[in-house]
Amino acid sequence: MIEIKHLWTGAVMFSVDSPSLKKAVEGLVLKRADLRGADLRDANLRGADLGGADLRDANLRGANLRGADLGGADLRGADLRDANLRGANLRDADLRGAKNTATARLDTGETLVEYIAETMPALLVAGGKTLAHVASVWDCHTWDNCPMAVAFSCHAAEEVPRLYRPRAEQFVQLFDAGLLPKPEVPA
């Protein structure tokens, strides 16, 4: 029997007859169970289908989410310290306000902090535009004029030069998830 407890109260939220925590959580997600505030720290959720899950304020600290489908999941306020997000599908996931995302590992092996400080600025100017020019469209989220569309003068991910395409797709997922701050442009 797998028990999923509430992070703050310690009360049992769900008691599930399942062979693993991963299967238990996937089953609860399928049933649209409310997992807000669930204590899932250090859970092995590798490859789990968590699409559309309500994981607001959940503790996912140290959880292995490698290859997990988090598409459309609500992770606002979730603790992602040291979570493994390598290969996770973050498309349409809401991570705005997620806690401790800085140490989460991306599929490229770097932390989010390293990505924002080093990779993102290089990617934004790789198509020949200035950082200021690309940053000027930071509030746009369509391929008409989003940062990647402007950076590479294109209207679809397939039009980004092959060398940069995987990084552009990664950027779009992180950007759409609300994890990328507008870059600071030197005066």
Side-chain angles (χ1 to χ4, degrees), residues 2 4 16-30 44-45 48:
I2 305 281
I4 296 175
V16 182
D17 187 19
S18 178
S20 70
L21 179 59
K22 175 185 167 188
K23 294 287 185 196
V25 171
E26 284 181 319
L28 291 167
V29 169
L30 277 175
N44 183 359
L45 299 172

Side-chain angles (χ1 to χ4, degrees), residues 106-153:
L106 304 177
D107 58 340
T108 45
E110 69 225 299
T111 65
L112 185 59
V113 165
E114 292 166 340
Y115 177 88
I116 291 168
E118 300 167 22
T119 305
M120 185 178 77
L123 178 64
L124 294 175
V125 299
K129 302 295 189 302
T130 66
L131 189 59
H133 185 76
V134 178
S136 72
V137 296
W138 208 255
D139 294 328
C140 179
H141 286 267
T142 71
W143 275 98
D144 291 329
N145 68 340
C146 74
M148 283 296 100
V150 169
F152 292 102
S153 303

Side-chain angles (χ1 to χ4, degrees), residues 20 34 38 49 63 66 68 73 105 144 152 187:
S20 70
D34 184 350
D49 184 354
R66 186 176 191 145
R105 287 263 167 216
D144 291 329
F152 292 102

Side-chain angles (χ1 to χ4, degrees), residues 16-83:
V16 182
D17 187 19
S18 178
S20 70
L21 179 59
K22 175 185 167 188
K23 294 287 185 196
V25 171
E26 284 181 319
L28 291 167
V29 169
L30 277 175
K31 293 178 183 178
R32 299 264 181 233
D34 184 350
L35 291 166
R36 286 180 291 179
D39 188 356
L40 298 171
R41 76 185 121 197
D42 298 321
N44 183 359
L45 299 172
R46 185 176 182 159
D49 184 354
L50 305 176
D54 187 348
L55 292 163
R56 282 177 283 177
D57 299 317
N59 184 355
L60 293 163
R61 181 182 262 182
N64 184 353
L65 297 165
R66 186 176 191 145
D69 181 359
L70 296 168
D74 190 341
L75 294 157
R76 287 176 290 177
D79 186 343
L80 295 172
R81 178 176 294 161
D82 299 324

Side-chain angles (χ1 to χ4, degrees), residues 4-21:
I4 296 175
K5 296 181 179 180
H6 193 272
L7 177 62
W8 301 290
T9 66
V12 175
M13 295 172 65
F14 299 99
S15 217
V16 182
D17 187 19
S18 178
S20 70
L21 179 59

